[in-house]
Amino acid sequence: MRPLQMVDTKTQYLKIKSEVDAAVIAVMESSMFIGGKVVNDFAENLAKYHGSRHCIPCANGTDALQIAMMALGLQPGDEVITPSFTYIATVEVAALLNIKPVFVEVNPKTFCIDPEAIEKAITPKTKAIIPVHLYGHAADMEKIMAIAAKHNLPVIEDNAQAIGNDYTFSDGTVKKTGSIGQIGCTSFYPSKNLGAFGDGGAMFTDDDELAAKLRMIASHGQSKRYYHDVVGCNSRLDAMQAAILDIKLKHLDEYIAARRKAADFYDQAFAENKFITIPFRDGNNKHVFHQYTLTLNGVDRDGLNQYLADQGVPSMIYYPVPAHRQKMFDAFGGSDFNLPVTDWLTERVISLPIHTELDEEQQTFIVNKVLEYINR
Ligand SMILES: *Cc1c(COP(=O)(O)O)cnc(C)c1O
């Protein structure tokens, strides 16, 4: 059996090695390392795939979120509504800009922000809603967009884990997650569904004015070279990453299909087990399984995590501490938030290896080890 890993980017690379190697060498020979045609072509191809008018590449997903908040003109003291059950980047950048993250609950089935909790958390200081499409499942965008419209608030989608997910509205309209809110943000961190060979990120919008602002802020606030209109930052996707990502973009749908197939296999193995709740798939979106995350009922989760490690099966807890309980947010009154669903999930979730290269022999081994512990 091939060794088990949470992600297997090496095997994935070997399948497209000749194409990737040639593209990287071409960038080196061109000496166009920053900006230029390779980066622009990738941004254009990704915008097309995404169904967004504009794709603005940047250095990583965290920057994408920060630049999005800056472009929307959020000011110190403003509030943004976000889930606490997420990766820290989503909320850290708000705090960095002295914007207060107002943490709300998630739906325990989808792991994504609860629209009703959003509406209850809106105050006159609220300036944006930031749903996260966690693990690759879409947040309830139809309801979120309706609440946002009613209160005239922009929506920034954290789509770092769900690139390629198709969301279907009740009128039949289909849109990619990350193309629904005013701004969508994504990450090309190597383990993400569209992963670079280093860092990378992008922002998406249909709004021409907002696109210009995002582009300007990502580039030292420049409207044209050496004319700096606003305070910005330096956040670029380099040409080598763009060249690699452009190749991998052509395989993205196939990568998603492989992840969904692996998820189907796990689902079948665990569906009938009363100690395990398999990931919920709402019919309104196509889960892209960045993570395959079980919710355990009456099982010593950390015991299972350790048992699997001892048996050579990697597993991960995403995330062991919810954002509102991180020390980082003490100054923002993080622990004042009462989020029992978030706390409940934090103690019960466990993620199993899922990636594009898992085979049935590996999955059978993983399933057997999980069941061995649970059915002891
Ligand atoms: C990975 C990730 C980010 C940040 O992306 P980086 O490229 O690592 O900065 C933000 N939000 C979520 C939900 C993520 O999973």
Side-chain angles (χ1 to χ4, degrees):
M1 186 174 68
R2 291 185 299 126
L4 297 171
Q5 295 168 273
M6 283 304 284
V7 284
D8 184 355
T9 48
K10 170 128 188 223
T11 308
Q12 193 189 54
Y13 160 59
L14 293 177
K15 290 183 177 165
I16 52 170
K17 183 179 186 310
S18 56
E19 213 183 336
V20 166
D21 292 2
V24 169
I25 290 169
V27 170
M28 291 195 284
E29 283 176 347
S30 76
S31 293
M32 277 295 288
F33 296 113
I34 298 292
K37 185 174 179 335
V38 174
V39 178
N40 295 341
D41 285 354
F42 168 63
E44 213 171 282
N45 291 337
L46 183 56
K48 227 175 269 165
Y49 172 85
H50 213 257
S52 295
R53 264 176 76 79
H54 304 277
C55 166
I56 299 103
C58 63
N60 54 67
T62 309
D63 276 7
L65 290 156
Q66 180 183 330
I67 296 164
M69 289 181 212
M70 291 168 78
L72 289 170
L74 270 56
Q75 296 297 317
D78 288 347
E79 295 177 356
V80 294
I81 298 177
T82 81
S84 172
F85 194 68
T86 182
Y87 181 55
I88 198 68
T90 321
V91 287
E92 178 189 29
V93 293
L96 187 68
L97 298 170
N98 268 304
I99 295 160
K100 184 179 173 170
V102 173
F103 298 111
V104 302
E105 285 286 31
V106 289
N107 175 326
K109 281 160 79 179
T110 64
F111 307 110
C112 294
I113 196 164
D114 173 3
E116 272 148 43
I118 295 176
E119 189 141 41
K120 284 188 199 132
I122 293 174
T123 75
K125 285 186 180 169
T126 307
K127 291 292 148 58
I129 301 170
I130 311 178
V132 182
H133 304 303
L134 201 70
Y135 304 150
H137 190 285
D140 190 344
M141 290 309 292
E142 180 146 2
K143 278 196 194 144
I144 293 168
M145 293 309 289
I147 293 165
K150 186 171 144 196
H151 297 272
N152 199 20
L153 293 169
V155 172
I156 302 171
E157 295 177 76
D158 182 342
N159 198 35
Q161 300 191 359
I163 193 161
N165 186 329
D166 289 312
Y167 184 90
T168 308
F169 288 82
S170 50
D171 68 0
T173 313
V174 180
K175 286 187 176 180
K176 295 271 183 225
T177 55
S179 74
I180 301 168
Q182 274 64 35
I183 305 176
C185 298
T186 203
S187 162
F188 307 123
Y189 185 78
S191 65
K192 297 280 156 80
N193 288 21
L194 179 59
F197 288 15
D199 274 312
M203 300 161 287
F204 302 87
T205 186
D206 286 337
D207 181 321
D208 296 350
E209 221 173 288
L210 211 42
K213 271 190 200 158
L214 292 166
R215 215 177 284 284
M216 202 195 285
I217 293 168
S219 177
H220 297 294
Q222 293 181 116
S223 51
K224 61 180 185 185
R225 205 161 197 199
Y226 305 127
Y227 290 79
H228 306 273
D229 298 353
V230 295
V231 174
C233 55
N234 173 26
S235 191
R236 304 185 277 238
L237 179 73
D238 69 71
M240 276 197 211
Q241 299 308 333
I244 295 164
L245 287 165
D246 207 26
I247 293 164
K248 292 186 76 177
L249 177 60
K250 288 183 268 174
H251 297 278
L252 180 56
D253 285 338
E254 172 197 312
Y255 291 160
I256 291 170
R259 286 172 177 275
R260 286 172 57 82
K261 183 163 169 260
D264 290 344
F265 185 95
Y266 281 139
D267 274 3
Q268 268 201 338
F270 298 132
E272 302 302 322
N273 193 297
K274 66 175 192 293
F275 297 108
I276 297 175
T277 304
I278 59 173
F280 177 69
R281 304 189 199 189
D282 202 329
N284 64 7
N285 77 111
K286 189 175 136 204
H287 200 321
V288 294
F289 286 100
H290 175 59
Q291 299 299 343
Y292 184 86
T293 304
L294 301 173
T295 311
L296 302 175
N297 321 304
V299 177
D300 172 5
R301 191 267 314 266
D302 296 334
L304 172 61
N305 189 223
Q306 186 58 52
Y307 179 78
L308 291 176
D310 295 343
Q311 300 291 319
V313 176
S315 62
M316 292 290 281
I317 312 304
Y318 300 115
Y319 297 91
V321 181
H324 74 289
R325 293 194 182 279
Q326 299 284 356
K327 275 195 206 141
M328 179 195 279
F329 290 115
D330 284 357
F332 290 83
S335 54
D336 296 344
F337 289 92
N338 180 28
L339 303 170
V341 175
T342 295
D343 288 336
W344 187 90
L345 283 174
T346 302
E347 287 162 16
R348 283 167 182 79
V349 290
I350 187 164
S351 301
L352 299 179
I354 192 155
H355 52 76
T356 57
E357 313 303 322
L358 267 180
D359 62 37
E360 288 202 2
E361 185 190 14
Q362 292 175 308
Q363 284 200 281
T364 304
F365 186 84
I366 296 165
V367 163
N368 288 343
K369 293 298 172 193
V370 170
L371 294 178
E372 221 167 81
Y373 184 84
I374 285 181
N375 295 330
R376 272 176 321 165

